[in-house]
């Protein structure tokens, strides 16, 4: 597979978004967010999305020059309307606002409506943790997942993400509240592999382990039955109902993500150094524990992402040939030429 | 099984706690919280705990006359020390404080350390929802659950609970972030039933479906692998590390629950009536959907509890003969006589 540096991919995607109408700073930030997903090992939220975003701009679903509007604001809360700008821009601005408010008032919550796809939530909650705050975030998304006991698509895969600043490493968890993320089905399908029982039903609402059955009119199940169902609904109500973005299954929902995020000031409760010490000791204890036979190493949530990032910053980011070709074709469409020869870049 | 009204059980447990040293108002509230768990169908957190609590008082693990202390406070946050008072009292006081602060500042977070067992979290987050606020709560607990990939007991079953005020009914989710609550293993063992694969490992760290293997030195697994692991750690860090109660696996943790709770003012984001309308329409849509073959009715999270409560308020609460006998014996130990004849009460 062709291999690129992060900077090369940020440059290329930024030029693409700029050519499609985005201001330079916006184009560069969206590119950087996509590449951050590639670096952390989440290809499904990486530069593979760039051409989708360009097509969404062409269809009028993303407005690359949208201005974020503050609809309601108090010292501790804000409701933002992204007016269908890039989700990465709106989500970062939302988390920046939450961080600023939490610095002043110890706690802040920001809702975001009419946002295009925000990508990987882990990026935004880590912004809080990097500044010594706890970050929380959830959002709804498009119709893919059944309620517990049901078989119709009612929810998105509605992720929740949570980051806590630590000592040697922060804690980061970021996952779909459905049994699986849709991206995992796509990967299994591409590799012709089956998926675990309990992830999906086929179009006739029978359990199946063939990922193609999902794309043929099937449905994803909630994580752990009624538990994931509770989280799916929580995300839909906070991200969709509270913000006015719309719950996924209701007519007012069109596309994109309705988002809810919070920042919490650690030092309102305890000195950061004390929290860091407890976290370091707990992580050490966990990692030194006995392992299951199929487990090579017990990892802390967020550790796989940090390791992937360190490795790919060093060795580069591999892209499937098809992803690269799509990017190049889109770039050529906009008359871009320079830097489209990956042989020269590897 | 002998059957009682809620009032009869509140009276009896309150008299028991009062005899063990609790002030009358405290005794009555703890009794009411336990009976609320019975009413909502969560026997494992109900009056079956009353005798345990009395024994904990006798051992000095619960101080029934403890005064809650505010260790740190800002307009939006507070850190409370329960000084090993009843968890039900401390958790209610904590949530009342969060609600009062959120009414003024739209958002509030309260941490609680050195609290004895707080019981069923759903009760406290519903306090927020009943007043038009969103309630969130999590806590750590005693050593029962392995990290993802590990086989040692490192976490409690660390519940998370979330309530959102609705129109016709509130949304309430409240669940253990382990594959199962410990109570479910106890029930399966008592009924000589096996449990689903993926819930527990035996003492030799092999997968098993025999619940007795857990009590013979086994371990409970996280809900959905790395996802539940993320939630377990979140609960342990918020409830244990941030509050100073202690993370379950660290030496500073002795017993009880380290608790973190939040209240969020809906109207900082949208009028309550608008949220209620969206929620009503979404719940209607979900309930009208197609069902899986083994599902008689699609329920909304919180609905099973509300139905159980309505039924038991009407028909009474059934108690296993052993639970009743334990209560009566403890009451007699304190010289209580009146109202100990369940034949007269049914």
């Amino acid at each position: 597979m062709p291999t690129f540096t992060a900077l090369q991919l940020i440059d290329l995607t930024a030029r693409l978004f700029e050519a499609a109408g985005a201001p330079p700073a916006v184009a560069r930030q969206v590119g950087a967010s996509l590449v951050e997903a590639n670096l952390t090992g989440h290809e499904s939220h990486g530069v593979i999305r760039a051409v989708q975003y360009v097509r969404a701009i062409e269809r009028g679903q993303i407005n690359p020059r949208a201005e974020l509007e503050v609809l309601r604001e108090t010292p501790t809360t804000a409701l933002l309307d992204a007016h269908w700008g890039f989700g990465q821009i709106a989500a970062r601005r939302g988390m920046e606002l939450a961080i600023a408010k939490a610095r002043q008032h110890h706690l802040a919550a920001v809702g975001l409506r009419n946002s295009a796809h925000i990508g990987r939530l882990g990026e935004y909650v880590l912004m809080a943790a990097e500044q010594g705050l706890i970050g929380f975030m959830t959002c709804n998304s498009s119709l893919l997942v059944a309620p517990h006991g049901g078989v119709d698509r009612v929810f998105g895969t509605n992720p929740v993400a949570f980051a806590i600043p630590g000592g040697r490493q922060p804690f980061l968890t970021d996952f779909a509240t459905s049994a699986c993320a849709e991206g995992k089905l796509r990967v299994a399908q591409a590799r012709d592999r089956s998926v675990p029982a309990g992830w999906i039903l086929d179009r006739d609402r029978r359990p199946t382990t063939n990922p193609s059955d999902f794309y043929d009119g099937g449905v994803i199940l909630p994580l752990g039955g009624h538990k994931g169902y509770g989280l799916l609904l929580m995300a839909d109500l906070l991200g969709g109902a509270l913000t006015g973005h719309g719950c996924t299954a209701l007519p007012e929902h069109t596309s994109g993500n309705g988002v809810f995020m919070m920042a919490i000031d650690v030092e309102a409760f305890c000195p950061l150094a004390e929290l860091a010490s407890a976290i370091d000791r707990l992580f050490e204890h966990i990692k030194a524990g006995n392992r299951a036979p199929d487990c090579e190493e017990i990892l802390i949530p967020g550790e796989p992402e940090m390791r992937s990032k360190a490795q790919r910053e060093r060795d580069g980011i591999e892209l499937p040939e098809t992803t690269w070709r799509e990017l190049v074709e889109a770039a050529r469409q906009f008359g871009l030429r320079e830097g489209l020869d990956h042989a020269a870049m590897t």
Side-chain angles (χ1 to χ4, degrees), chain A residues 84 112-117 139-144 154-158 235-237 239-241 243-259:
Chain A
W84 301 105
L112 177 61
R113 66 160 75 158
N114 301 334
S115 169
H117 185 245
C139 69
N140 70 359
S141 47
S142 50
L143 282 177
L144 297 167
V154 164
F155 301 113
T157 53
N158 298 3
D236 203 23
L237 296 181
T243 64
H245 183 85
C247 294
T248 302
L250 294 181
E252 55 264 37
H253 186 277
T254 52
S255 67
N257 299 128
V259 187

Side-chain angles (χ1 to χ4, degrees), chain A residues 43 212 217 230 307 317 340:
Chain A
E43 277 75 14
S212 298
R307 291 193 182 180
I317 298 165
L340 300 185

Side-chain angles (χ1 to χ4, degrees), chain A residues 155 158 177 228-238:
Chain A
F155 301 113
N158 298 3
T177 55
Y229 177 35
L231 293 175
L232 286 160
L233 250 172
M234 179 196 79
D236 203 23
L237 296 181
L238 289 179

Side-chain angles (χ1 to χ4, degrees), chain A residues 68-87:
Chain A
L68 205 68
E69 185 187 358
V70 180
L71 297 177
R72 280 168 186 252
E73 190 168 21
T74 76
T76 56
T77 64
L79 177 63
L80 308 179
D81 191 326
H83 291 300
W84 301 105
F86 281 113

Side-chain angles (χ1 to χ4, degrees), chain A residues 15 222 316:
Chain A
R15 285 164 67 207

